[in-house]
Amino acid sequence: MPMTATTVLTARALLLDMDGTLVNSDAVVERCWRRWADRHGLDGDEVMKVVHGRQGYASMAVLLPHRPMEQNHADNARMLAEETADMDGVVEVPGASAFLAALAGLPHALVTSADVGLSTARMAAAGLGLPDLQITAESVGASKPDPEGFLKGAAELGVAPEDCVVFEDSGAGITAGKAAGMRVVGVGPRAAVHGPDALVADLTQVRVEAAADGSIRLHIG
């Protein structure tokens, strides 16, 4: 639910989604996936309800449930190449640069359904630096909404899941964060309907405070 400016969440580490959370790539996602929908005779609006937050092959498996998974993986490789070549309109989510700067030296990781090439390109296009730890598509065997990526991020940071706070925009990502036993801050309008623990319009509504005991205090609102 939305929280007031007086609400503070305390964590030992933050796990950050990329698309829709740090980077606004909606224009590219819309272009690429609507073209894909046209190629497969699917309704573009219905496709867009599914694709945010998941790896492409996982979205395809939902949308084309009878297609062999090897075809989804091959199609996903083509989609990743198409998306990586298109940075038109990719910008930071308001407040993302300052938010990442405030996390310098604090435990945090990028946990994205994008692969290394796409995440590197989109973060650069948005003018954002990559966190030292990146959990990408290559890092996991299961896509969000499976919690594997968030659990791996917590493990590599050496922090218990319950001491992590996730930042996410999509239903798949919020589901994954909750399944990992973590609290979730929802970012943007997509997050509102998926029941995050806190909700902000963008990252200008989050203030990071490094506490003396090494914890991270998030002032939400």
Side-chain angles (χ1 to χ4, degrees):
M1 62 181 179
M3 292 191 170
T4 68
T6 58
T7 298
V8 178
L9 299 180
T10 301
R12 290 282 170 185
L14 305 186
L15 301 175
L16 315 174
D17 174 52
M18 182 182 71
D19 291 302
T21 301
L22 298 173
V23 172
N24 182 346
S25 57
D26 282 1
V28 180
V29 174
E30 287 267 348
R31 283 194 294 272
C32 292
W33 278 99
R34 286 185 181 277
R35 283 197 298 266
W36 184 89
D38 287 344
R39 289 196 295 268
H40 292 87
L42 300 174
D43 182 270
D45 291 341
E46 294 304 311
V47 167
M48 294 314 302
K49 293 176 183 178
V50 171
V51 300
H52 292 290
R54 292 179 170 86
Q55 290 190 45
Y57 76 85
S59 296
M60 293 168 189
V62 172
L63 294 161
L64 297 173
H66 302 298
R67 190 167 76 161
M69 188 57 77
E70 59 266 25
Q71 289 187 31
N72 293 335
H73 281 286
D75 210 358
N76 184 47
R78 290 188 290 270
M79 177 69 76
L80 283 169
E82 190 177 335
E83 289 186 280
T84 303
D86 185 355
M87 293 295 133
D88 187 22
V90 174
V91 295
E92 72 168 292
V93 167
S97 181
F99 177 64
L100 288 172
L103 293 179
L106 300 175
H108 67 288
L110 187 72
V111 182
T112 176
S113 294
D115 66 0
V116 170
L118 183 57
S119 58
T120 301
R122 281 189 177 160
M123 290 288 280
L128 301 174
L130 281 164
D132 290 339
L133 178 59
Q134 302 150 44
I135 306 298
T136 64
E138 295 92 340
S139 309
V140 297
S143 169
K144 300 172 186 176
D146 191 282
E148 180 185 357
F150 288 126
L151 291 171
K152 186 165 187 177
E156 294 203 18
L157 290 170
V159 177
E162 61 268 24
D163 291 327
C164 295
V165 169
V166 166
F167 281 75
E168 265 286 0
D169 73 300
S170 70
I174 292 168
T175 298
K178 289 185 172 185
M182 301 171 181
R183 291 157 293 159
V184 181
V185 176
V187 180
R190 272 194 297 271
V193 298
H194 298 290
D197 297 288
L199 179 66
V200 295
D202 57 43
L203 295 172
T204 64
Q205 296 182 330
V206 182
R207 182 168 65 86
V208 177
E209 178 190 2
D213 64 356
S215 65
I216 303 168
R217 291 178 185 161
L218 299 169
H219 299 260
I220 306 291

